[in-house]
Amino acid sequence: SVWLCLRQTKDGTRWTCYGAKDNATIAAAQAEKAGSVNIGGGVLTFGPSLTEVAGGKTCDVISVQALWEWDSGEGGKEAPIWKPYPKEAQWGLESSMCTADATCEIAVSKSQKYVVDLVGLRQHHSQNPFKTRRVRRRGTPLSEPMPAKVKDCKSGKWLDVSTTPSYWTLGVKDEGGKRHDLPLS
């Protein structure tokens, strides 16, 4: 599960995703059946409904199901063999997706780091950008299949992806852009 908090922002009320560290803290507290847990300057209280109180403000918290997987098969030569990412990577990917990051770097072990392209849904080893594998997200649908802008994680600048080059022909299935959701089943 990935945890989201309904917060008041300058753009209005919106769901924001907790980061990987906070998701790990919430999961551990829930496994221990704790009544509450300290999260990022606030207190998250478990009960009939989940709430976070930070800075005198209360926000609602929900858990959503999202599963991130990578294709361990032959890269399009045969049917894909989908394998789930570790929990920490799942939380990092979902957090990056919620903040409209263009990419997310994840560690699947201490020595292996990958960069996941959240626009093109591909991953590559952090040291070798030439060999890529397919990535997919299944579960709770996103509110928008492709945001108008994504954030370049290296420069911090926002990139406009609302228009596509003329040589990209969009088929009926791809009218909303490349990024999409798949059901968990």
Side-chain angles (χ1 to χ4, degrees):
S1 291
V2 177
W3 298 91
L4 304 172
C5 183
L6 187 62
R7 298 184 197 279
Q8 184 66 37
T9 66
K10 63 180 181 181
D11 300 324
T13 304
R14 61 181 297 197
W15 289 103
T16 57
C17 188
Y18 287 105
K21 183 179 174 186
D22 288 340
N23 265 290
T25 302
I26 294 168
Q30 200 177 32
E32 294 170 5
K33 300 194 185 317
S36 63
V37 63
N38 292 326
I39 278 292
V43 177
L44 177 66
T45 305
F46 298 99
S49 63
L50 297 169
T51 56
E52 178 195 82
V53 178
K57 295 182 179 179
T58 301
C59 69
D60 295 323
V61 177
I62 63 167
S63 168
V64 297
Q65 295 293 318
L67 179 64
W68 285 90
E69 299 171 309
W70 60 280
D71 179 6
S72 67
E74 292 295 318
K77 296 176 187 170
E78 295 182 22
I81 301 169
W82 295 105
K83 295 198 176 182
Y85 285 101
K87 264 188 190 174
E88 293 77 16
Q90 299 268 349
W91 295 326
L93 287 162
E94 194 65 16
S95 180
S96 291
M97 180 69 91
C98 287
T99 56
D101 289 341
T103 60
C104 176
E105 185 172 279
I106 57 170
V108 293
S109 69
K110 290 186 180 192
S111 62
Q112 287 192 306
K113 290 185 180 177
Y114 291 91
V115 176
V116 178
D117 173 355
L118 298 173
V119 177
L121 292 175
R122 297 279 182 192
Q123 77 168 24
H124 65 82
H125 193 277
S126 61
Q127 303 301 314
N128 181 4
F130 298 106
K131 183 179 179 184
T132 65
R133 292 187 180 269
R134 293 179 284 194
V135 171
R136 72 180 183 182
R137 177 191 184 273
R138 297 190 301 146
T140 304
L142 298 168
S143 61
E144 52 185 295
M146 177 64 88
K149 293 182 179 182
V150 293
K151 185 172 55 180
D152 177 30
C153 296
K154 289 184 181 177
S155 69
K157 294 181 179 177
W158 288 90
L159 308 170
D160 184 359
V161 292
S162 62
T163 58
T164 57
S166 59
Y167 55 84
W168 282 16
T169 57
L170 298 177
V172 176
K173 291 182 180 180
D174 294 336
E175 288 178 9
K178 285 188 164 191
R179 194 157 81 171
H180 59 280
D181 305 306
L182 299 168
L184 276 173
S185 55

